[in-house]
Amino acid sequence: DVTAEELVAVRAKANVAADRTGQVDGVCMWFDCAFKGGVVLKTGPGEDPTHWMQTVVMLGAAVEVEAGDVLPFEVLMKQDEANSRRYVVTVTT
């Protein structure tokens, strides 16, 4: 179970390998959410559409990559103080 306090700020780290040479301009994000009773809400590409959709967070500057390069990044999602249903999303590379 997840508490309301745990949702105030959510941080995740990931490493993504470039499948081709080029530049990375942003990070695409989506989520899966497991509910009690085995129900799972999936919002990723290729899943049935929901109103949640996916999102893209643009980086401050493009990152040049070669095929096979690993790009580490961290995502911080922090609840907006004025509206707890809203999050401010920051991506650092």
Side-chain angles (χ1 to χ4, degrees), residues 5-74:
E5 292 79 27
E6 291 173 306
L7 295 175
V8 171
V10 178
R11 184 181 307 269
K13 292 182 180 184
N15 296 303
V16 176
D19 62 356
R20 61 181 175 256
T21 298
Q23 70 180 34
V24 177
D25 294 301
V27 176
C28 299
M29 298 188 310
W30 57 88
F31 65 90
D32 293 350
C33 184
F35 296 95
K36 293 180 181 179
V39 175
V40 179
L41 168 65
K42 295 184 176 191
T43 64
E47 301 295 341
D48 290 336
T50 72
H51 74 278
W52 295 101
M53 300 189 209
Q54 301 90 38
T55 193
V56 176
V57 176
M58 302 303 291
L59 302 176
V63 177
E64 297 294 328
V65 295
E66 299 288 328
D69 284 354
V70 175
L71 180 65
F73 66 93
E74 181 176 47

Side-chain angles (χ1 to χ4, degrees), residues 36 80 89:
K36 293 180 181 179
D80 182 81
V89 179

